[in-house]
Amino acid sequence: MPAQYPLHPHMVLLSNLTQFSPMLYLTGFPGLETIEHWIFIFFFLMYLVAISGNCFILIIIKTSPRLHTAMYYLLSFLAFTDLGLSVSTLPTTVGIFWFKSHGIYFGACQIQMFCIHSFSFMESSVLLVMSFDRFVAICYPLRYSVIITGQRVVRAGLVVILRGPIATVPIVFLLKTFPYCGSRVLSHSFCLHQEVIHLACTDTTFNNLYGLILVMSTVVLDLVLIALSYGVILHTVARLASKEERLRAFQTCTSHLCAVLVFFVPMVGLSLIHRFGKHAPLAVHLFMANVYLFVPPMLNPIIYSIKTKEIRQAISKFLGLRKANVES
């Protein structure tokens, strides 16, 4: 369990008096309470970029017939999961940093952790399907339109949407059956299963094993398959005749590769901190958790807007039409 920090007097009193209360208490940045409004402004800007950027990507793909292809349908799935991940943490972040409200009912905490973990698993799945799309596009370009069809993309999307929530339901539901005692203060501004489970005063072996198996069979497996697909892609690109062909082929993967790194590097870092960094400073836990949840949804629309030529052209056309309509 992450290192505890000195509790506010009112939190100590409440946690002692409400031993059997369904309330938990979330944390901002201990020691920085006097500047939490300024911290909220920083988070607000991140939310603004993430939510508006991903909504804009969805609108661009929806309104641009040229982008009605498998690759951009998958990008719209990615934008949707990023949007869901941002919205999942928004209520408690606003409550803590703007309204100084640290309490959260256990049921609301369950809903939040269900959303956070479900959208995280969904994003991992989307990135895996996108890596397969790039694998087919580069290794089997003549068969791409036959292998990657609209029907198959829809089926993959349904699997992506359903896999995370279905797999997350058991461990989140079982938390309600455990007794909790002692301090009920969490060390983040949002609810995570791996932290709430440590507050239970009973044997949680099933949840721990199920959680480990779930992560291994989803996120870790997805990461391994993505790495294997890029290994084959790099091998294929290296065999191309000219340098220009190699550069052109690899450029089609740069946006996706950046999205993979932006998502998986903070996730792996957070997992390592929770597993092996129990004595690490609380600031390290807070930093890694916030980077993991806030940075990917903010950066992904920026990455695809900058790195993808078709998205840039669609944005320019969209903004041009808007300007023309305003002038007329």
Side-chain angles (χ1 to χ4, degrees), residues 134-155:
R134 294 298 84 204
F135 164 76
V136 175
I138 291 177
C139 299
Y140 302 98
L142 299 180
R143 299 177 58 193
Y144 178 82
S145 59
V146 177
I147 298 174
I148 307 296
T149 63
Q151 188 178 20
R152 286 176 177 168
V153 170
V154 170
R155 289 176 180 173

Side-chain angles (χ1 to χ4, degrees), residues 12 93 96 111 134 158 166 185 202 205 214 218 237 250 292 324:
V12 174
T93 302
I96 289 171
I111 293 172
R134 294 298 84 204
L158 289 175
I166 290 175
V185 182
T202 187
T205 302
L214 179 59
T218 54
V237 170
F250 192 71
Y292 159 57

Side-chain angles (χ1 to χ4, degrees), residues 85-86 89 116 120 190 192 266 288-297:
L85 204 55
S86 296
T89 59
I116 289 174
S120 295
F190 39 81
L192 296 175
M288 291 304 302
N290 286 307
V291 167
Y292 159 57
L293 287 180
F294 296 148
V295 172

Side-chain angles (χ1 to χ4, degrees), residues 2 29 43 46 85 89 116 120 187-192 194-195 266-267 269-271 273-274 282-297:
F29 287 91
F43 280 125
M46 295 179 71
L85 204 55
T89 59
I116 289 174
S120 295
S187 59
H188 299 113
S189 58
F190 39 81
C191 295
L192 296 175
Q194 57 264 40
E195 188 175 14
M267 174 180 278
L270 181 62
S271 298
I273 286 292
H274 274 287
L282 179 61
V284 175
H285 289 267
L286 293 172
F287 175 77
M288 291 304 302
N290 286 307
V291 167
Y292 159 57
L293 287 180
F294 296 148
V295 172

Side-chain angles (χ1 to χ4, degrees), residues 251-260 300 303-304 306-308:
Q251 280 180 339
T252 64
C253 298
T254 53
S255 298
H256 176 257
L257 187 58
C258 289
V260 168
N300 282 337
I303 290 170
Y304 276 93
I306 294 174
K307 291 289 186 179
T308 309

Side-chain angles (χ1 to χ4, degrees), residues 4 20 43 89 92 196 313:
Q4 292 293 327
F20 301 98
F43 280 125
T89 59
T92 52
V196 174
Q313 291 174 344

